[in-house]
Amino acid sequence: MVRGEASILIDTEASRVFDFVATDFVNNYKRWSPEVQRLDLLTPGPLRVGSRARQIRVDQGRKSDTTFKIIALETPSRVGFVEQNGQYRTEYHVEPAGEGSRLRFYFELKRLDLYMRPFEKLIRVAIQDGAERVVRNIKGLIETETPRSSTGPS
């Protein structure tokens, strides 16, 4: 198993971060993960445990077509996905942190094919870099789009 994880502080309330990542996943996923060329929700209605989606990605020149399902949706703190064949699992955790929130992202590649094992170290680095990029992208999008509230006197 190869795992990457990253955490970042975001200058907005946790409910806004959760809504951006989970509630509005279909609209926002391609924005924070530009490797996603196409995303199709296969289950009608709002995102919920058991919902399925198909994505086409191009990562470092390699195209992949996978189907995944939602395995956890705990408003307002956690959403998790697993690839239908168990190749990978991702989770986003959101928690209050002072006046803002902390976003934690986890990605697990469950197994490496035999021919990929000589490249395990490079794959680990790429997965970790990808995890850090995901949280930075989400932070940038949210903080750019969310007006700061004024708490002091005018």
Side-chain angles (χ1 to χ4, degrees):
M1 172 173 57
V2 180
R3 180 180 171 107
E5 60 183 80
S7 171
I8 201 162
L9 291 172
I10 301 178
D11 191 18
T12 194
E13 64 276 1
S15 63
R16 170 71 181 113
V17 175
F18 184 83
D19 285 346
F20 186 88
V21 171
T23 307
D24 297 328
F25 177 79
V26 173
N27 296 323
N28 292 327
Y29 179 46
K30 287 172 55 174
R31 297 176 63 212
W32 78 69
S33 189
E35 302 84 6
V36 178
Q37 302 295 301
R38 182 174 177 163
L39 176 68
D40 298 310
L41 193 58
L42 303 175
T43 308
L47 205 63
R48 61 189 178 280
V49 172
S51 292
R52 294 177 53 241
R54 176 179 175 239
Q55 69 177 344
I56 297 174
R57 297 176 57 100
V58 178
D59 293 284
Q60 298 179 0
R62 185 174 168 268
K63 186 176 182 177
S64 63
D65 183 343
T66 59
T67 300
F68 59 91
K69 69 178 178 178
I70 287 69
I71 57 168
L73 186 59
E74 300 169 10
T75 305
S77 60
R78 178 176 167 242
V79 62
F81 307 87
V82 67
E83 193 270 334
Q84 74 176 358
N85 296 321
Q87 292 178 336
Y88 64 82
R89 175 186 177 120
T90 63
E91 287 196 19
Y92 300 81
H93 294 251
V94 182
E95 60 192 35
E99 293 183 18
S101 56
R102 176 169 298 282
L103 172 65
R104 297 178 196 278
F105 172 72
Y106 304 91
F107 179 90
E108 288 180 358
L109 184 61
K110 292 295 188 174
R111 63 183 178 280
L112 285 177
D113 291 329
L114 187 59
Y115 74 93
M116 296 298 289
R117 289 191 185 149
F119 308 105
E120 183 173 349
K121 184 175 180 180
L122 292 172
I123 293 167
R124 283 185 190 283
V125 169
I127 286 173
Q128 183 60 40
D129 287 349
E132 292 169 8
R133 188 173 48 255
V134 162
V135 297
R136 279 194 317 268
N137 288 352
I138 292 171
K139 173 186 174 75
L141 288 165
I142 290 174
E143 288 183 351
T144 300
E145 296 172 8
T146 304
R148 296 217 22 153
S149 61
S150 173
T151 56
S154 305

